[in-house]
Amino acid sequence: MKIFFWHPNIVFYKLNGDGLTDYEEFQKLLGGLGGGFGGAGGPPPSSASSSYIVRRREARNKSAYLLRDTGAHPCAVCRSGVGVNSIQCSQCRLWVHKNCSGIIGRLTDNPLYVCPRCNGRARPIDGRPFTQVDVDGAMLDVEASFCYLGDMLCAGGGCELAIITRCCTAWGKFKKLLPLLTSKHVTLKTRGKIFNTCIRSALLHGSETWAPAAPDLQRLRRNDRAMIRWFCGVKPDDEIPIESLLDRLGIQEVTEAVRTRRLRWFGHVTRATSCINDTLSLSVPCVRGRGRPRKTWSECVRSDRRSWNLDRTDPHNRTEWRLGVKNAGRLLPTPVPGTPAADDK
């Protein structure tokens, strides 16, 4: 058994289907948060048959992250792959991003440079306060990330890890269907339907609950457009805009597809009568940290409704809401004059 951890102001969500609508019910379920696991408050009931997620309320703080190395040359501070704009540390001999180096201005060769990691000013690679907890005599692992129903939940919040996982899955599906997608005997409209049904559905699995930031949306666009240009036989030097390719394939832009899924899920949650609707109005006492908090799912929904003029559409009316989202999602980009998509019309 494992515990997914998000610290220090904690809220427990039981994953066995029982709905909790009030913060006091959480405290009653766990015997009081003050004692914690194995403390004076006592362990959660039925701990041997239930899974728990412990989530952090301070969205800006990322100390619960477990940093993982990516790329051929991981940064000494953030552990993600570095590029050209980087500098090498004289102690650990690792490369550091410009944004992580703490240097103001242009990077220059400095044989005496010491990175924030060696200076002790960088956040720890393993920010979990502890790796195991004792629940009723059983030692449970504290996880920094957790795969639940195909969606990756990350201890530091956000959906970056979930999007990375879905992109890898989508590329695997794309490679399997590549002979069919690149076949000259299949029309572009049919290829678009295959891509939308088999590949983009894998890419956007679980996107109904995402609250993506600008870098997350850019990652989705980058991977989605790379696959579209590949099976359409378009090279970057051809200078064919992606809008014309989407029109020829008859599919939405990927960010618009995310918005459509999120709005449809919002209507489903609003009309629900179980605990899924009660969690939207659940108030949890916590202390807000400095700076702007992360973008929430509710903020994304409000922005989507405002952009698609659905503010006055009642989500409780299922037929009206689904029709409004469907009609708004059908508004594809206008083809650029002089492109093949405009000439076909």
Side-chain angles (χ1 to χ4, degrees):
M1 187 183 298
K2 297 181 179 180
I3 284 183
F4 179 69
F5 187 78
W6 208 347
H7 175 79
N9 295 322
I10 54 180
V11 175
F12 295 79
Y13 294 91
K14 200 172 183 182
L15 301 183
N16 61 357
D18 297 341
L20 300 174
T21 60
D22 191 77
Y23 184 70
E24 283 71 17
E25 294 186 29
F26 284 107
Q27 292 182 314
K28 184 178 179 180
L29 171 67
L30 300 177
L33 294 178
F37 286 108
S46 305
S47 58
S49 60
S50 301
S51 299
Y52 292 88
I53 292 180
V54 187
R55 281 194 165 181
R56 176 195 191 140
R57 300 304 302 173
E58 294 181 22
R60 290 280 300 180
N61 195 335
K62 300 180 180 180
S63 61
Y65 261 124
L66 178 62
L67 302 180
R68 294 178 173 84
D69 295 349
T70 59
H73 302 282
C75 174
V77 178
C78 67
R79 312 308 298 175
S80 61
V82 301
V84 177
N85 195 21
S86 58
I87 188 172
Q88 190 176 26
C89 177
S90 60
Q91 292 188 8
C92 62
R93 309 303 300 175
L94 296 177
W95 293 90
V96 184
H97 288 120
K98 167 65 170 60
N99 294 336
C100 301
S101 64
I103 298 177
I104 300 176
R106 184 177 180 180
L107 288 180
T108 57
D109 292 335
N110 185 4
L112 302 179
Y113 171 74
V114 179
C115 67
R117 176 73 59 192
C118 297
N119 284 332
R121 294 184 288 109
R123 59 177 176 172
I125 295 178
D126 188 353
R128 296 173 294 177
F130 40 83
T131 58
Q132 286 187 330
V133 293
D134 184 8
V135 178
D136 199 15
M139 297 303 296
L140 306 183
D141 296 329
V142 176
E143 295 294 314
S145 60
F146 181 75
C147 182
Y148 182 66
L149 298 180
D151 193 13
M152 292 297 296
L153 306 178
C154 186
C159 56
E160 179 182 2
L161 185 59
I163 291 178
I164 293 175
T165 304
R166 299 320 306 172
C167 288
C168 294
T169 303
W171 275 108
K173 301 291 184 181
F174 178 77
K175 294 295 181 63
K176 292 180 180 180
L177 295 174
L178 194 58
L180 180 60
L181 291 173
T182 56
S183 176
K184 300 298 182 181
H185 303 286
V186 181
T187 62
L188 284 178
K189 290 290 185 181
T190 304
R191 290 189 230 177
K193 293 180 180 179
I194 296 173
F195 176 80
N196 194 47
T197 304
C198 301
I199 300 173
R200 186 173 275 183
S201 60
L203 176 65
L204 301 182
H205 174 73
S207 62
E208 296 86 352
T209 59
W210 291 349
D216 301 327
L217 292 177
Q218 183 61 27
R219 187 188 300 274
L220 281 176
R221 292 192 196 98
R222 185 168 60 249
N223 287 273
D224 185 78
R225 294 177 180 183
M227 288 185 279
I228 290 176
R229 289 194 175 99
W230 188 333
F231 72 81
C232 287
V234 175
K235 299 180 180 179
D237 297 338
D238 295 339
E239 297 183 356
I240 297 179
I242 191 65
E243 289 79 8
S244 63
L245 296 179
L246 293 174
D247 187 73
R248 292 162 65 180
L249 295 172
I251 59 178
Q252 285 180 305
E253 206 268 335
V254 64
T255 56
E256 299 300 314
V258 172
R259 180 175 294 177
T260 300
R261 288 168 170 257
R262 185 163 49 226
L263 287 175
R264 292 190 63 178
W265 177 249
F266 170 73
H268 172 70
V269 171
T270 304
R271 294 187 298 269
T273 57
S274 60
C275 63
I276 189 175
N277 191 7
D278 298 332
T279 55
L280 290 179
S281 57
L282 179 66
S283 178
V284 180
C286 62
V287 179
R288 175 177 170 179
R290 294 180 59 186
R292 187 190 185 280
R294 284 187 184 273
K295 190 177 184 180
T296 63
W297 183 78
S298 298
E299 291 178 358
C300 293
V301 171
R302 286 194 294 268
S303 177
D304 296 342
R305 296 184 66 179
R306 188 166 50 251
S307 300
W308 279 5
N309 297 324
L310 295 175
D311 292 329
R312 298 183 179 181
T313 305
D314 185 14
H316 292 90
N317 188 335
R318 183 175 183 271
T319 303
E320 182 182 358
W321 179 257
R322 287 173 62 92
L323 184 61
V325 174
K326 185 176 181 180
N327 292 337
R330 281 179 177 175
L331 299 178
L332 297 175
T334 303
V336 180
T339 60
D343 297 336
D344 293 340
K345 288 192 173 184

